[in-house]
Amino acid sequence: IFVFVVVLVFSVGAYSAETEAPTEAPVPTNTQDLEAEAASSTEDESASADETKKKGGRFRDPLDGKFDLTAGSKRGSGWFPLAIPFNEPALGVGLVAALAYIHPQKDASGGGSDLSGGPPTVTFGGGGATTNGTWAAAAGHHHVFGDDKARYLGALADGSVNLTFYGFGDAPSDNDDGLDFTIDLVGTLQTFKSRIGGSDFFLGLQYIFAATETTFDLDVPEVPLTGETNIAGLTAFIQFDSRDTVFTPSKGLQINLDISWFNEAVGSDFNFERVDASFRYYLPIKKNFVLGFRADVDAAGDDAPFYALPFVVLRGIPIFRYLGNYAVTLEIEPRYKIGRRWSVLAFTGQGRAARDWDKMSDAEQAYNYGAGCRYLLARKLGLGVGIDIAVGPEETVPYLIVGSAW
C-alpha cells in the first residue's frame, strides 16, 4: 500500500492544467508522435493557455483534443487529492487515498520545466485499507536535486497486514488453505542515490527499519519467528536506467543490483544478507509495438525471518504465495498502440521459490497469463492507466494498473 501511494502521487505530477484544446489543434497519429509534437510546441501551448482558460477547460490536451491530466501544465505544482481503488488477491479489494504537494520543477537554468521522463519532487501523505482488514498509512518526501543529478526518498509508515503462509516453494504447508497471520509494523525508509556523471547509472544507499509484531491464528511450530521483533538493514545498490519514462515506458533498459546487510549494528534482531537483482527491457518494434521483458532473481540468508524472504511476484498470484530463500521470476509483455492514446497488451510469466537453490527445480512452478489495456492519461509524464485480467494457478484476478505493472 505504501508503494502504491508513492506511485499515485508521482502519477499526477503535472495535473495542474487549466487548458482546453482549440478546435484547430494538430492531431498526431500515435503516442510517439504526441511526444515529438509536444517537444516542439511548448510555446504554442503557452500562447493558447489564456484563451482556452477563458473557455473553462481543464483537462483537454491542446495537441490532440483528448482528456489528459497534464494538459497545458508547465510547472505541474500544487496540492492534489487522490482516491484510487485496487485489488490484490492476498489482501482483497481496497482503496488508497492520498494528499500530495507537487513542488514546482526547475530546469538547469532555474526556470520552470515540464515533467517528462524523471519523477517530480513531491511531499505526500496517505493511507489505505482492504476488505481482509489490512490497513496502512505513510507520509514522506521525494526530492529531485539539480536537474536530476540525485534523488532522495524518506518516509514513515504504520500498518497492519493480514496475509496467509502457504509454506515454502519446495516444502508446501500441509494445510491447502494456508495459515493466516498478521504483521503489525511501524517503520521508516531512507534512500539516497546519485547519478554518475551524465550517464544513466546511479549509485545509492538505503536504510530500512521496522518494528514488527507477528501473530498466527494457530500455533505454527515450523515458523518460530513470531512475537515482537525489529528488522533493520543497510542496502548499497547500483542502478542503470535509460527508460523514456518511469511510469509507462515504451523504450529503454533498467537494471538494479541491491546488496543488503541486516545486522544488530544497525538495529536489527536478525543477522543476514540479501541480494536482489532485477532486469527490465522495453524494445520498440516498428512504430506501434513494444515488447517488454522482465527478470528478477532474489536471495536471502538462512537467518532471515520468514516475512523478509523473497517470493514470486506475478499478476494473478497472491503475494507471499510462493516463498523461499531464493526466488526467480520471468515475464514478457507485448503491447500494441492503437491510435493516439490507447494500447492493448498481453502478458505471461513463470516463477519458482525454494529454501535451497539446489531444490529450485523441485519447487512448485508458478505461472500467469492474461491481457489488458492502457489509456495515456498524462502525456507529459508518459503515464498510462488501465485494467489487466490475470489468470494464475488458483484464480483469475482483475487489476487496476497505474503506470507499469512492473
Side-chain angles (χ1 to χ4, degrees):
I1 292 177
F2 163 70
V3 173
F4 198 56
V5 168
V6 175
V7 170
L8 286 177
V9 296
F10 286 178
S11 70
V12 293
Y15 153 85
S16 59
E18 295 291 342
T19 302
E20 184 178 35
T23 56
E24 68 274 18
V27 182
T29 58
N30 55 49
T31 54
Q32 290 180 335
D33 289 344
L34 283 175
E35 295 165 1
E37 185 75 12
S40 62
S41 62
T42 303
E43 293 183 2
D44 293 337
E45 290 186 47
S46 300
S48 63
D50 292 338
E51 177 183 352
T52 56
K53 188 173 182 179
K54 293 177 183 178
K55 297 179 181 180
R58 295 188 64 186
F59 302 117
R60 196 169 295 277
D61 195 323
L63 293 183
D64 66 350
K66 302 298 183 181
F67 181 82
D68 192 304
L69 289 182
T70 59
S73 67
K74 297 189 67 178
R75 289 186 172 88
S77 60
W79 291 96
F80 305 103
L82 303 164
I84 301 293
F86 74 98
N87 184 34
E88 159 52 48
L91 303 175
V93 178
L95 179 71
V96 169
L99 179 65
Y101 177 71
I102 310 296
H103 298 258
Q105 303 298 293
K106 299 293 184 180
D107 57 24
S109 63
S113 65
D114 286 337
L115 294 171
S116 58
T121 293
V122 54
T123 303
F124 62 90
T130 74
T131 53
N132 84 337
T134 291
W135 66 270
H141 179 77
H142 177 271
H143 199 92
V144 178
F145 295 92
D147 201 22
D148 202 18
K149 296 185 184 303
R151 302 174 189 175
Y152 163 79
L153 172 63
L156 297 172
D158 188 12
S160 178
V161 183
N162 297 314
L163 291 169
T164 302
F165 176 74
Y166 293 94
F168 303 101
D170 56 339
S173 172
D174 294 334
N175 187 340
D176 292 338
D177 295 329
L179 301 166
D180 294 334
F181 70 96
T182 299
I183 295 183
D184 297 315
L185 63 89
V186 58
T188 183
L189 171 73
Q190 303 292 323
T191 302
F192 180 83
K193 61 182 178 181
S194 178
R195 189 183 298 273
I196 302 176
S199 72
D200 292 319
F201 282 96
F202 287 87
L203 285 176
L205 290 174
Q206 175 178 283
Y207 176 75
I208 185 170
F209 173 87
T212 71
E213 182 176 2
T214 307
T215 55
F216 277 83
D217 290 349
L218 300 172
D219 291 335
V220 188
E222 64 266 34
V223 186
L225 298 176
T226 58
E228 296 182 2
T229 57
N230 293 334
I231 185 168
L234 186 65
T235 300
F237 62 88
I238 184 170
Q239 178 187 86
F240 177 85
D241 192 352
S242 65
R243 296 171 299 168
D244 55 345
T245 173
V246 299
F247 298 109
T248 308
S250 293
K251 63 180 178 179
L253 174 66
Q254 182 190 35
I255 300 175
N256 291 319
L257 177 62
D258 301 353
I259 302 176
S260 303
W261 295 269
F262 294 84
N263 195 277
E264 295 176 358
V266 293
S268 179
D269 292 334
F270 309 97
N271 296 315
F272 67 96
E273 293 76 38
R274 176 165 170 154
V275 177
D276 299 275
S278 65
F279 173 90
R280 309 283 186 270
Y281 183 48
Y282 300 89
L283 175 65
I285 301 175
K286 295 186 177 180
K287 197 170 187 177
N288 294 323
F289 188 73
V290 177
L291 186 59
F293 300 90
R294 169 199 169 201
D296 292 312
V297 180
D298 309 301
D302 292 337
D303 294 331
F306 78 98
Y307 57 77
L309 293 176
F311 52 87
V312 174
V313 180
L314 287 171
R315 282 163 284 184
I317 296 176
I319 59 174
F320 232 68
R321 175 63 180 85
Y322 298 92
L323 179 74
N325 291 75
Y326 302 89
V328 177
T329 306
L330 302 172
E331 193 173 20
I332 61 172
E333 182 184 278
R335 184 170 82 242
Y336 184 77
K337 299 178 182 178
I338 301 175
R340 307 175 183 94
R341 294 276 175 171
W342 288 95
S343 300
V344 293
L345 59 87
F347 54 88
T348 185
Q350 294 186 355
R352 293 177 186 265
R355 294 300 301 269
D356 298 309
W357 181 261
D358 294 340
K359 296 182 179 179
M360 186 69 75
S361 60
D362 299 326
E364 290 185 88
Q365 179 172 289
Y367 66 87
N368 77 337
Y369 60 89
C373 63
R374 298 287 185 274
Y375 177 78
L376 186 63
L377 184 63
R379 171 177 57 80
K380 292 182 179 180
L381 290 171
L383 172 74
V385 299
I387 296 174
D388 289 348
I389 305 297
V391 179
E394 291 92 14
E395 55 187 316
T396 299
V397 185
Y399 291 88
L400 173 65
I401 304 296
V402 179
S404 173
W406 298 344

